[in-house]
Amino acid sequence: MKFNKSTTSNLSNTLLKLTLFFGIMTFPVYLLPSGSVQITHILLLMFSLLVLVKIGFPRDKYFYIFLSFLIYCFLTNIFYSFYDYFVVRDSTFEHYIDLIFLTYNFLLTASLISYFKNQKRHNFIVYAIVCAILIILFHLCYQFLFGKFSFRYPALFNNPNQLGYFSVCCFSLIYIFYRNSYISYFNTISLLVLLIFLSIMTLSKAAYISLFLCFLFALKPINFKFSKIIWLIVMLALLFFIILFFLEISETNFYRRMINLPNENDSSLEVRGYFVYLKADILQSIFGMGPKNVYAINRVEIHSTFAMILTSYGFIGFSIFALLILLWIFDIKKSYGIYGVICVCGPTLLYGLTHNGIRFSIFYIFFVASLFITNQIKKEKYSNNL
């Protein structure tokens, strides 16, 4: 049986699509401890390598900025590795796992940019997210029915915060697909409520607070004739629901944790690790002190994406990363307005203030997906104006 170029191309595209689909779908399934290679990592790495071999690296401003940030991170770590080996006489490399994950996520990001630029529809991403949520729900039902439910629900992740960040990224992904008419308003609100529920089950303050705030803006329908009236009705219905079931809500662990928020020690900037940057000298504040020194001072990683980058890679590294984020925000603003920025960028940025999510690959999938669809909308608007 002979295969022409068209058949071979269709087979390879199907293989890429299936690999990415199962890579996203199995994201909540953690079979090994944190820091280990999971099923999703293997599938997404296969996808990345296949795309980069078949299509190649993209020529994109986000690719070059991310590459610059990665190179700077490597240079910083190489400098401190030589310094530790020749001056301190300490050659341990256990704290460089973050650099490995960053390299992995860079390859994933580059491959996703190349792949999405050659695709027209992305329905399967939505189906993969829904399947991943269903896996979590099946596990939740199993835990509930067999009395194995824990105080903070982690699902099949290794800790509850991972499920919280997964819910945050999926929230924005679902909203971006809604804005592009992939999902109806009713289905969008149903999925967003479900994700908020999962974040509440984790008792991750950073997750459910950011989702609650952004959900109020996501409730506003887009391209509806009476969108403001519908928004007002939904808001009043939500308020009525809270008042009606306030007694039941007040007895939950979620409510108690919210009330006790000002008294919790782990919410302070000092505990989150923000003050480690103040212990750097002038050169370290500019060029970074490296992850190993951060762990030596703070004993654990800094619980903030932005503070971890600022402390580890200094003002220069932070500026490169901030440029990447700012360009993303501006592109979302051009296509979706301020509501888009709040609902697409807001949840992950708010979460990143109190948790380090730079290793979490689902963020990079969401990041590239939002950018590609944003660029697609800009092209459509440009063609309509011609």
Side-chain angles (χ1 to χ4, degrees):
M1 181 177 181
K2 294 182 179 181
F3 293 94
N4 55 34
K5 290 184 178 180
S6 177
T7 304
T8 305
S9 178
N10 290 334
L11 287 174
S12 62
N13 286 334
T14 302
L15 176 62
L16 289 175
K17 186 176 293 187
L18 287 173
T19 307
L20 181 57
F21 176 88
F22 285 106
I24 297 173
M25 188 188 77
T26 58
F27 201 90
V29 182
Y30 274 43
L31 302 179
L32 298 174
S34 295
S36 303
V37 176
Q38 309 294 342
I39 297 174
T40 181
H41 297 139
I42 297 173
L43 291 171
L44 292 177
L45 180 60
M46 289 172 54
F47 167 82
S48 300
L49 296 177
L50 288 171
V51 169
L52 295 178
V53 169
K54 180 177 183 291
I55 303 176
F57 285 92
R59 295 181 179 180
D60 181 271
K61 61 183 178 181
Y62 292 98
F63 169 76
Y64 289 118
I65 295 173
F66 198 166
L67 178 61
S68 301
F69 177 67
L70 180 65
I71 291 173
Y72 184 80
C73 293
F74 263 100
L75 292 175
T76 303
N77 282 280
I78 289 172
F79 169 80
Y80 281 107
S81 296
F82 276 96
Y83 179 82
D84 291 341
Y85 183 78
F86 290 105
V87 180
V88 184
R89 300 295 180 182
D90 180 12
S91 57
T92 56
F93 298 96
E94 60 180 306
H95 298 301
Y96 295 109
I97 185 69
D98 287 349
L99 189 61
I100 297 174
F101 272 103
L102 185 64
T103 305
Y104 166 81
N105 285 320
F106 167 76
L107 293 174
L108 176 61
T109 301
S111 64
L112 286 168
I113 293 174
S114 295
Y115 179 73
F116 282 164
K117 280 187 174 181
N118 289 273
Q119 298 294 315
K120 294 182 179 180
R121 297 291 294 175
H122 305 89
N123 309 60
F124 72 97
I125 301 292
V126 180
Y127 300 145
I129 292 295
V130 171
C131 289
I133 295 173
L134 287 175
I135 290 174
I136 297 172
L137 290 178
F138 285 139
H139 182 266
L140 177 65
C141 293
Y142 173 82
Q143 295 267 297
F144 179 79
L145 292 174
F146 290 91
K148 298 181 179 181
F149 200 77
S150 55
F151 176 69
R152 295 186 63 190
Y153 177 63
L156 291 168
F157 290 102
N158 287 326
N159 66 69
N161 290 329
Q162 291 172 329
L163 174 57
Y165 195 34
F166 177 80
S167 301
V168 165
C169 292
C170 289
F171 180 99
S172 297
L173 255 177
I174 294 299
Y175 181 80
I176 202 79
F177 279 110
Y178 161 67
R179 290 295 300 264
N180 288 277
S181 303
Y182 282 83
I183 318 175
S184 68
Y185 176 75
F186 176 78
N187 289 336
T188 300
I189 297 304
S190 300
L191 287 171
L192 296 187
V193 169
L194 183 57
L195 290 168
I196 293 174
F197 169 74
L198 291 177
S199 71
I200 291 174
M201 300 303 291
T202 68
L203 294 181
S204 172
K205 295 170 290 186
Y208 58 67
I209 290 176
S210 61
L211 292 188
F212 269 136
L213 294 175
C214 297
F215 180 68
L216 299 177
F217 295 90
L219 282 172
K220 187 177 184 298
I222 304 299
N223 298 326
F224 275 59
K225 187 176 181 179
F226 303 104
S227 59
K228 291 184 178 179
I229 297 176
I230 296 174
W231 188 24
L232 180 62
I233 293 173
V234 175
M235 291 283 284
L236 291 174
L238 180 62
L239 180 62
F240 178 75
F241 176 84
I242 294 174
I243 295 173
L244 184 64
F245 294 98
F246 181 75
L247 290 177
E248 288 78 6
I249 295 173
S250 63
E251 295 177 358
T252 62
N253 293 324
F254 154 74
Y255 179 82
R256 295 191 190 99
R257 197 162 197 212
M258 286 288 290
I259 294 297
N260 197 44
L261 185 62
N263 303 320
E264 292 184 346
N265 295 326
D266 66 342
S267 300
S268 67
L269 293 177
E270 183 178 4
V271 173
R272 290 288 159 185
Y274 275 84
F275 294 164
V276 178
Y277 181 71
L278 301 178
K279 299 179 181 179
D281 57 34
I282 295 177
L283 290 177
Q284 287 178 332
S285 64
I286 297 174
F287 299 101
M289 64 173 62
K292 185 176 179 180
N293 290 322
V294 171
Y295 282 99
I297 294 172
N298 202 49
R299 302 298 179 186
V300 294
E301 71 173 8
I302 295 176
H303 293 288
S304 166
T305 301
F306 305 105
M308 185 66 181
I309 293 173
L310 178 63
T311 308
S312 298
Y313 301 108
F315 178 77
I316 295 177
F318 180 79
S319 298
I320 300 172
F321 182 79
L323 177 62
L324 188 73
I325 298 300
L326 285 174
L327 287 175
W328 174 48
I329 293 173
F330 289 147
D331 272 349
I332 296 297
K333 172 69 168 58
K334 288 178 184 178
S335 296
Y336 303 107
I338 190 64
Y339 280 89
V341 173
I342 293 172
C343 299
V344 177
C345 308
T348 52
L349 294 179
L350 289 173
Y351 188 91
L353 293 175
T354 56
H355 287 79
N356 184 10
I358 197 170
R359 291 184 296 187
F360 216 54
S361 299
I362 197 69
F363 167 76
Y364 298 91
I365 296 173
F366 146 64
F367 177 78
V368 177
S370 65
L371 284 174
F372 175 81
I373 298 176
T374 297
N375 291 332
Q376 189 178 49
I377 287 181
K378 287 162 65 176
K379 290 178 182 178
E380 291 175 356
K381 286 184 178 179
Y382 178 77
S383 62
N384 291 333
N385 291 332
L386 292 178

